């Protein structure tokens, strides 16, 4: 930047030729540019900006902003030095490499003034380069042969896939017909099954309703008898008033008025009690004689904060309540958990023993088994259901296979499908601490050798970007790193005879890089490219 | 009072509450310095006096004492210094320039000295002011057994007529220290802080108990040599002059006496040790730097490459990685001098070893890098992995070389390698043994181009109290960690320095980077500001932190470019490179969890900007190197606060958004995202500043809005200066060592300028031992630019020559320019740019080492 401004300023002031004697005035100039450097004429910087006396060329002072006046010295920060490199390839290096003590040209011409002597390595380098070129040519040739095999296999895979797809479509049709049949059979079998089960259920419910009624009546009579302390077959205000637990507002005393509101009269007979009073009080009612015990129980229970079923172990009443409830429910009903919880909640809200101690009288009545006929119908229906499920699964499996094959058909597996045979194949790379396994077009994992669980380092994402799209594979969205990004893997593909991972690194934490050799990226034009290079080589 | 020798007075002071007696020693020292020591007269246990810090026993100067009255003793020393010692209540007042009252000790009577005592006094007497925590303290799950009981010392040091104090690093806080009225005091206790907060007085990795004060008239310094945990409270006061003794009042003589003066009271407290205070009475900033440097030493000239660009990362994974990163710099043509290897290069964090799977051939790796003139640095932390198969551990274990727990067993803690132990560098034998581990024989795989990095040396102990040693850990000589904690890290890097010095038989200059430091660390190590973060606020904090370190003697300082934790966005990293390219130690470093951030990973445009910043650094290396030479000689830090160059410019006293490199470059790093203009204060009345890129001049004593873009690094060369530069590009600094020099002359209002250039081989001690150096003075005056030797004893063979001279601010196009070097006279070409008033002289040609005169007519 600075030097550029200086160059600009110098433009204003160029006169008397500066006498400068340099034997190697044309040092570092590319042969194609030699015509621009004519010792008898002023030199015009190659960017055309200024002209300078020719003596300023390679005089170890930078005059041109493009550095073109000093190809053979280190004076310009942006100049270009040309090494002839006889016996090898002529190359251009930054002119600030001139005279820095580092041998950059194989002919050592960049260090012409330096004490260190650079050996001329051009011949060796040419030999090595040729060998390397030959090795590459061979590798690519062999690789391309393999690659063609891979492409050919991809073709047969494609045909196989097509055939298989057709086969599967056929199969699917058949299976779907079968499925429809099985569904009809299932429906037919389930009709009588349902009818018989309903019948059985109805009978049982009726039976249970009768039992329930009897139970209620028993409870009602018990309660009436309990209340009718003077046994005059009437329950009076006085008799009911002692049951303060029935006082709804709890704010004042249980007044005559309030009691009368419940009874609807000064006293009630058994029938009246049955029809108007019992329902009102049955939930809150407590038997006087048991009050002490109940209080104790209530104390125990109020200490338990959570309505866990286990807390009821030491609470006989609740236990029974639960049992009774399960009886009430359909034995198969899986929703009873909710109901149970509701009940427990309710009980907790009240937080007092209730009239449910009457349930002591309840019989242990589970639903009876289905009769033999019903059982037979169930068995037939079960069979039909199973058959239907099997048919369903077959359809599903075939559909899945079709889907997979279609997905694979749509997958970009290389320009000529050359990666096709690698689809689903897994390759391992063994490192000191880990095995890295990449399953192509699926995912990649890191498996610790010392035990421990494997970690997904990426799922197939995409190919790289143009122009060498198919030389890079990206696997992303692996398991997140602590304090870092999601793990990811980039695979760099190189020509090789076999498909194999040859290196895995982690240049940045959790961002892995694999080098993978495969014939799929071997270049069929390598020979042409290498010989094209030859024409530019000056031997 | 007793006169021990002329310049050393001795007194006894008594605590009137408990009759405990103390000895007070007053030493009047050369260079306007005074030392005061206070220790128990008859301690039941010897109190620790810090070793390894003072370079030479300070030279005494004679003192003339007289009794002002029965209570006051006056002493004159040096040319213009004096003190008044008041006996009851004890107090010391200090004056510089005859009558300028600058420091008052214990005028707030906060002096408190907890003498060592027995836990239960045998006579049944209850210890005075006994409090909880005197004999045992608990912090989280850690218990400090405090076997010797309370031992703290506190005192107030008052800076009279000052409004700004500086120093006492390391804190991530403003350069001008803040009042601690509403915060904790500034704390000095070397600790490894995870993701440290900024704008905070909390302790960090290193400690220097040294404070400077500056005002329009004078600069002074106070250094308390104490390595225990310290706390410093700062209060801005008004000092009422009415309460001053009449004799003192007179000292304000010529200046107008007002009823109130500003004053900064600093209250210093250390947990143990003695009072050992040095007072540096200036009176100029340069004087104070030199005075402190005389006591604690200066930074010896670093190798040239150490002040070039360093590329680091936790971690470069293997030899291939190193090779590729080096190739990246080649490919992108970015100069670079040093590649670094963090902890992962070792075999399981066993220092002095290599992970041979990843680094099978470290010698070859270093040689390959050295082909480009480049060096490498490996890390070596002080924790030693507990593993009988690790030779360092096994040897040290056998020899009983580890720091001990209070019960006498080897202290064991956790760090990177897991269970670890720590070497006891306090034992000279262990110090030497550790140093010799760096010999080529013992450090397998090391070569002469490998240098060292000491990290985690506070020391960091993951499971220790506050992530460091417990205070009751015991070092050699029955030293409690409580007494010596803050110098542990320094001892490690001093031993490392010795190791590197010894391996070349004293020929090559070592380079060591340390995280933990103490006063004196500057002699053997560079320091960086530890684990900062990729945030603009952290970039902004770099200048105050580096200034605080610079003025307290640590010259080779830097911060991790880009921020250690987290990922910088491209703008932040570009700005960080630009800022750091003008800061002494210039290293990119990043946490292992961050994304790669080599300079070419932020897009072509940003690569170009980063390359430009690094290239700019390289062009100024001759100037930097000269400044580091002056640092060694004069203790003048290369990076300076504005007030060190413009001591009378009050506007500069609180500035920490900008700084000076030497006395010639003003740097205002851009530390905000998306700014298009910045407000820059140009210091100095009658001073002209030239933009180094556009050559546009600006007047001093003005705040100006300067338009900036992403290319901008606002840097200005002071009119009146001459800066040597190397404008040629090279891959690394050592490959440019013979390249020609461009002189940039910026004229002041009298059309004058001066500057210096120091040059040597860049890496050996031949500049000292064989006087192989060149030290030139350039002076522009009366239309003549002359080059003369500043030290004719120095001789150094170099092919370097004067390639170009740029003169800015020259009023007209010269008729003729001629240059005379001895018998020869040459007429170099020149150009003149009217608009910018710049003369450029093409190929003046003389060798750097000759005397010459350039005449413009």
């Amino acid at each position: 930047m600075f030097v550029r401004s200086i160059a600009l300023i110098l433009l204003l002031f160029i006169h008397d030729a500066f006498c400068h004697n340099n034997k190697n005035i044309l040092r570092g100039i590319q042969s194609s540019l030699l015509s621009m450097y004519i010792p008898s004429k002023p030199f015009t910087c190659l960017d055309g900006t200024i002209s300078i006396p020719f003596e300023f060329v390679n005089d170890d002072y930078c005059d041109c902003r493009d550095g073109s006046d000093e190809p053979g010295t280190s004076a310009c920060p942006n100049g270009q030095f040309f090494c002839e490199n006889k016996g090898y390839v002529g190359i251009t290096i930054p002119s600030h490499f001139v005279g820095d003590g580092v041998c950059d040209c194989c002919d050592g011409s960049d260090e012409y003034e330096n004490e260190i002597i650079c050996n001329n390595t051009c011949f060796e380098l040419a030999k090595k380069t040729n060998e390397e070129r030959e090795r590459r040519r061979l590798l690519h040739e062999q690789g391309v042969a393999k690659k063609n095999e891979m492409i050919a296999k991809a073709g047969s895979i494609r045909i196989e896939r097509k055939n298989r797809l057709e086969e599967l479509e056929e199969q699917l049709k058949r299976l779907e017909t079968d499925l429809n049949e099985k569904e009809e059979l299932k429906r037919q079998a389930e009709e009588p099954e349902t009818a018989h089960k309903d019948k059985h259920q109805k009978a049982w419910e009726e039976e249970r309703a009768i039992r329930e009624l009897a139970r209620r009546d028993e409870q009602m009579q018990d309660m009436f008898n309990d209340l009718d302390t003077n046994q005059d077959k009437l329950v009076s205000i006085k008799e009911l008033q002692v049951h303060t637990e029935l006082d709804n507002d709890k704010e004042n005393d249980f007044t005559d008025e309030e009691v009368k509101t419940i009874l609807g009269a000064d006293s009630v007979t058994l029938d009246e009690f049955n029809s108007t009073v019992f329902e009102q009080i049955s939930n809150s009612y407590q038997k006087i004689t048991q009050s002490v015990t109940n209080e104790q129980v209530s104390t125990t229970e109020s200490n338990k904060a959570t309505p866990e079923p286990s807390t009821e172990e030491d609470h006989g009443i609740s236990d029974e309540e639960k049992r009774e409830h399960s009886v009430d429910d359909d034995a198969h009903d899986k929703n009873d958990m909710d109901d149970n919880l509701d009940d427990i909640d309710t009980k907790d809200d009240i937080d007092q023993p209730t009239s449910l101690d009457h349930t002591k009288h309840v019989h242990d009545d589970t639903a009876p088994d289905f009769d033999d006929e019903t059982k037979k119908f169930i068995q037939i229906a079960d069979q039909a259901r199973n058959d239907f499920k099997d048919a369903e699964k077959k359809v599903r499996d075939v559909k899945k296979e079709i889907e997979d094959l279609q997905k694979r058909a749509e997958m970009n597996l290389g320009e000529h499908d050359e990666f096709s045979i690698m689809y689903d194949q897994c390759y391992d790379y063994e490192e000191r601490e880990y095995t890295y396994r990449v399953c192509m077009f699926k995912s990649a994992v890191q498996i610790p050798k010392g035990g421990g669980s494997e970690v997904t380092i990426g799922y197939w994402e995409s190919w790289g970007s143009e122009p060498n799209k198919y030389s890079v594979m990206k696997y992303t969205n692996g398991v997140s790193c602590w304090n870092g990004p999601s793990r990811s893997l980039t695979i760099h593909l190189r020509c090789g005879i076999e498909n194999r991972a040859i290196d895995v690194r982690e240049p940045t934490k959790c961002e892995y890089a694999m080098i993978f050799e495969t014939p799929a990226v071997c270049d069929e034009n390598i020979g042409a490219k290498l010989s094209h290079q030859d024409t530019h080589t000056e031997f | 009072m007793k006169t021990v020798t002329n310049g050393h007075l001795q007194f006894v002071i008594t605590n009137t509450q408990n009759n405990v007696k103390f000895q007070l020693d007053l030493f009047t020292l050369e260079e306007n310095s005074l030392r005061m020591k206070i220790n128990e007269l008859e301690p039941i246990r010897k109190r620790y006096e810090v070793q390894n810090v003072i370079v030479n026993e300070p030279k005494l100067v004679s003192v003339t004492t007289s009794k002002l009255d029965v209570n006051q003793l006056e002493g004159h020393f040096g040319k213009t210094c004096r003190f008044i010692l008041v006996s009851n209540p004890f107090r010391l007042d200090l004056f510089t320039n005859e009558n300028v009252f600058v420091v008052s000790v214990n005028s707030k009577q906060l002096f408190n000295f907890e003498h060592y005592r027995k836990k239960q006094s045998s006579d049944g007497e209850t210890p005075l002011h006994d409090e909880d925590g005197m004999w045992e303290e608990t912090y989280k799950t850690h218990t400090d057994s405090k076997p010797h009981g309370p031992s703290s010392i506190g005192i107030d040091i008052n800076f009279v007529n000052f409004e700004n104090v500086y120093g006492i690093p390391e804190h991530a806080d403003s350069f001008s220290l803040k009042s601690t009225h509403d915060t904790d005091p500034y704390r000095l206790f070397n600790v490894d802080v995870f993701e440290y907060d900024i704008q905070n007085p909390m302790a960090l990795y290193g400690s220097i108990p040294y404070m400077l004060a500056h005002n329009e008239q004078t600069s002074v310094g106070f250094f308390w040599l104490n390595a225990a945990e310290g706390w410093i409270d700062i209060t801005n006061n008004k000092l009422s002059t009415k309460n001053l003794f009449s004799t003192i009042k007179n000292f304000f003589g010529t200046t107008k006496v007002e009823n109130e003066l500003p004053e900064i009271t600093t209250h210093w407290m250390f947990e143990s040790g003695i009072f050992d205070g040095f007072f540096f009475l200036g009176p100029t900033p340069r004087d104070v730097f030199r005075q402190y440097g005389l006591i604690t030493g200066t930074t010896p000239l670093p190798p040239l490459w150490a002040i070039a660009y360093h590329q680091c990362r936790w971690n470069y994974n293997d030899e291939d990685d190193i090779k590729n990163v080096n190739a990246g710099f080649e490919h992108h043509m970015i100069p670079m001098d040093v590649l670094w290897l963090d902890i992962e290069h070792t075999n399981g964090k066993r220092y002095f070893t290599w992970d041979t799977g990843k680094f099978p051939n470290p010698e070859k790796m270093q040689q390959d890098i050295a082909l480009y003139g480049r060096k490498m640095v490996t890390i070596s932390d002080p924790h030693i992995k507990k593993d009988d198969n690790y030779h360092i551990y096994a040897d040290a274990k056998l020899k009983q070389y580890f720091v001990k727990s209070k019960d006498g067993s080897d202290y064991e803690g956790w760090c990177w390698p897991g269970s670890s132990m720590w070497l006891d560098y306090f034992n000279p034998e262990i110090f030497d043994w550790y140093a010799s581990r760096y010999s080529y024989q013992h450090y397998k795989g090391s070569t002469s181009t490998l240098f060292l990095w000491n990290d985690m040396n506070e020391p960091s102990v993951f499971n220790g109290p506050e992530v460091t040693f417990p205070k009751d850990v015991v070092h050699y000589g029955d030293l409690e960690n409580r007494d010596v904690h803050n110098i542990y890290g320094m001892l490690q890097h001093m031993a490392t320095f010795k190791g590197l010095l010894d391996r070349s038989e004293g020929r090559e200059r070592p380079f060591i980077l340390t995280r933990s430091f103490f006063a004196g660390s500057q002699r053997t190590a560079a320091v960086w500001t530890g684990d900062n973060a990729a945030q603009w606020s952290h970039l902004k904090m770099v200048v105050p932190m580096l200034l605080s370190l610079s003025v307290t003697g640590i010259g080779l300082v830097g911060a991790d470019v880009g921020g250690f934790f987290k990922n910088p966005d491209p703008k932040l990293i570009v700005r960080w490179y630009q800022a750091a390219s003008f800061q002494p130690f210039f290293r990119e470093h990043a946490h292992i969890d961050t994304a790669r951030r080599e300079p070419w990973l932020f897009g072509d445009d940003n690569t170009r900007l980063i390359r430009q910043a690094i290239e700019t650094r390289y062009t100024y290396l001759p100037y930097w190197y000269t400044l580091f030479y002056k640092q060694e000689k004069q203790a003048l830090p290369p990076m300076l606060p504005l007030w060190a160059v413009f001591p009378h410019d009050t506007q500069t006293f609180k500035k920490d958004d900008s700084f000076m490199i030497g006395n010639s470059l003003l740097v205002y790093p851009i530390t905000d995202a998306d700014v298009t203009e910045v407000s820059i204060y140009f210091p100095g009345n009658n001073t002209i500043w030239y933009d180094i890129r556009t050559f546009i001049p600006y007047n001093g004593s003005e705040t100006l809005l300067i338009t900036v873009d992403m290319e901008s690094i606002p840097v200005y060369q002071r009119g009146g200066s001459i800066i040597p530069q190397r404008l040629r590009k090279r891959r690394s600094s050592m490959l440019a060592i013979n390249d020609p020099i461009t002189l940039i002359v910026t004229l002041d209002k009298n059309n004058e300028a001066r500057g210096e250039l120091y040059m040597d081989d860049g890496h050996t001690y031949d500049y000292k031992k064989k006087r192989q150096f060149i030290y030139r003075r350039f002076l522009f005056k009366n239309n003549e630019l002359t080059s003369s030797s500043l030290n004719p004893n120095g001789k150094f063979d170099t092919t370097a020559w004067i390639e170009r001279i740029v003169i800015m601010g020259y009023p007209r196009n010269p008729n003729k320019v001629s240059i005379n070097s001895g018998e020869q006279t040459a007429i170099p070409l020149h150009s003149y740019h009217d608009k910018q008033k710049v003369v450029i002289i093409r190929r003046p040609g003389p060798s750097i080492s000759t005397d010459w005169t350039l005449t413009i007519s």
Side-chain angles (χ1 to χ4, degrees), chain A residues 115-243:
Chain A
E115 290 160 16
I116 70 146
I117 296 158
C118 299
N119 293 325
N120 189 320
T121 57
C122 291
F123 181 73
E124 284 162 53
L125 203 62
K127 201 175 146 206
K128 243 169 85 181
T129 309
N130 276 336
E131 282 165 8
E132 171 60 19
R133 190 175 298 159
E134 195 46 37
R135 194 193 62 78
R136 279 191 67 201
R137 197 204 308 270
L138 240 131
L139 175 71
H140 278 262
E141 271 172 20
Q142 290 174 348
V144 166
K146 289 249 179 180
K147 181 181 177 178
N148 289 335
E149 282 172 31
M150 286 164 77
I151 293 171
K153 267 189 200 149
S156 47
I157 289 171
R158 218 168 21 244
I159 291 163
E160 270 170 38
R161 185 170 59 226
K162 190 165 161 276
N163 293 342
R164 177 70 182 149
L165 264 174
E166 282 166 9
E167 194 183 312
L168 286 172
E169 296 287 356
E170 281 295 309
Q171 217 176 339
L172 184 63
K173 270 183 212 155
R174 269 187 278 114
L175 287 171
E176 276 174 345
T177 316
D178 186 46
L179 181 68
N180 289 339
E181 281 168 17
K182 292 289 189 314
E183 190 172 13
E184 177 55 25
L185 286 175
K186 174 170 129 332
R187 196 188 60 73
Q188 285 172 9
E190 279 174 344
E191 245 172 47
E193 179 203 40
T194 311
H196 278 83
K197 273 167 100 174
D198 285 353
K199 190 173 147 202
H200 176 86
Q201 183 66 21
K202 200 176 161 203
W204 164 238
E205 271 165 18
E206 278 165 8
E207 165 70 21
R208 221 173 46 177
I210 292 161
R211 286 193 202 174
E212 184 62 32
L213 233 103
R215 192 157 57 216
R216 180 187 174 282
D217 206 46
E218 199 180 329
Q219 275 180 20
M220 191 272 295
Q221 288 217 23
D222 278 0
M223 198 183 288
F224 186 85
N225 291 340
D226 285 350
L227 284 167
D228 183 16
T229 39
N230 63 358
Q231 297 183 353
D232 62 351
K233 305 286 178 201
L234 288 171
V235 171
S236 64
I237 289 174
K238 281 276 168 302
E239 283 167 334
L240 192 62
Q241 203 162 24
V242 299
H243 287 269

Side-chain angles (χ1 to χ4, degrees), chain A residues 310-326:
Chain A
S310 62
T311 61
E312 288 156 14
E313 298 280 318
D314 49 6
H315 189 340
I317 293 165
S318 288
D319 232 2
E320 280 190 13
E321 169 204 9
K322 200 172 152 195
R323 196 176 311 129
E324 183 214 39
H325 197 274
S326 71

Side-chain angles (χ1 to χ4, degrees), chain A residues 406-418:
Chain A
Q406 281 169 342
K407 200 169 125 197
R408 191 169 162 177
E410 284 160 18
M411 193 114 199
N412 182 348
L413 297 174
E415 218 176 332
H416 308 288
D417 257 3
E418 62 272 23

Side-chain angles (χ1 to χ4, degrees), chain A residues 1-3 5-6 9-10 12-13 15-16 18 20 56 59-63 69-70 73-77 94-102 104 432-433 482-485 505-509 511, chain B residues 313 317-318 320-321 330 333 355-358 371-372 592-596 692-693 695 725 727-731 735 739 742 744 801 803-804 806 808 827 829-833 836 838 840-843:
Chain A
M1 190 64 203
F2 192 91
V3 175
S5 350
I6 292 161
I9 293 161
L10 264 178
L12 307 168
F13 188 88
H15 57 155
D16 305 322
F18 185 78
H20 183 74
F56 285 12
D59 73 338
D60 208 13
Y61 187 90
C62 192
D63 294 289
D69 63 316
E70 297 294 319
T73 77
S74 59
C76 292
S95 64
H96 66 259
F97 288 3
V98 171
D100 69 350
V102 182
D104 291 290
R432 210 163 37 153
E433 286 172 70
W482 181 80
N483 221 354
R505 281 164 205 237
E506 193 182 355
T508 294
K509 193 108 179 272
E511 292 177 19
Chain B
R313 171 175 183 81
N317 297 332
D318 49 33
D320 255 18
D321 203 355
E330 288 292 297
M333 290 201 267
D355 181 333
T356 51
K358 295 168 177 169
L371 283 180
Y372 299 90
I592 194 166
D593 288 339
T594 62
R596 285 271 172 154
I692 61 161
R693 228 160 43 108
F695 310 162
Q725 283 191 276
L727 296 184
R728 294 195 176 186
K729 185 171 171 162
R730 292 294 190 191
R731 308 158 130 127
L735 300 186
D739 278 352
T742 292
I744 309 289
W801 53 287
E803 178 179 36
R804 186 187 288 107
V806 179
M808 293 188 211
I827 315 284
L829 296 178
H830 75 271
S831 64
Y832 185 73
H833 199 266
Q836 283 136 315
V838 174
I840 297 176
I841 297 157
R842 186 186 192 279
R843 284 185 119 264

Side-chain angles (χ1 to χ4, degrees), chain B residues 221-382:
Chain B
F222 166 66
F223 170 49
W224 182 345
L225 179 53
N226 192 308
E229 177 184 358
W231 296 88
I232 301 153
D233 255 321
I234 296 176
T235 325
N236 291 298
N237 284 334
K238 293 288 178 206
L239 177 67
S240 170
T241 50
K242 281 178 195 161
N243 299 332
L244 291 175
F245 296 102
S246 58
T247 46
I248 295 173
K249 218 187 246 176
N250 291 339
F251 289 123
F252 294 99
T254 52
T255 55
K256 200 176 118 201
V257 179
E258 296 178 13
N259 286 337
E260 281 188 335
L261 286 176
E263 182 192 44
I264 294 185
T265 292
T266 63
H267 181 200
W268 298 59
M269 297 149 272
F270 281 99
E271 192 182 354
S272 65
I274 65 162
F275 180 84
D276 189 359
F278 290 81
F279 300 89
F280 306 115
L281 301 179
T284 71
R286 280 164 175 264
D287 292 333
V288 174
F289 296 144
R290 192 181 59 253
Q291 288 153 7
Y292 176 75
L294 270 175
I295 302 298
T296 63
T298 64
T299 301
L301 183 63
L304 175 61
W305 51 264
I307 55 172
Y309 176 66
H310 300 253
Q311 181 67 36
C312 187
R313 171 175 183 81
W314 176 21
N315 215 94
Y316 286 127
N317 297 332
D318 49 33
E319 288 176 4
D320 255 18
D321 203 355
I322 283 288
K323 189 175 147 195
N324 292 335
V325 171
N326 186 61
F329 279 92
E330 288 292 297
H331 178 73
H332 296 278
M333 290 201 267
I334 300 171
M336 181 269 289
D337 267 64
V338 193
L339 284 169
W340 290 55
L341 290 173
D342 207 327
I343 52 175
E344 311 297 331
H345 83 278
T346 59
N347 171 19
K349 284 84 177 178
R350 293 168 183 86
Y351 306 103
F352 305 99
T353 72
W354 299 83
D355 181 333
T356 51
K358 295 168 177 169
F359 297 89
N361 202 342
E363 284 106 337
K364 183 168 185 304
M365 170 181 68
Q366 291 157 53
Q367 283 152 9
D368 289 349
I369 297 303
L371 283 180
Y372 299 90
R374 295 177 178 140
K375 318 292 171 197
M376 290 194 70
V377 168
T378 51
I379 198 165
S380 182
D381 290 351

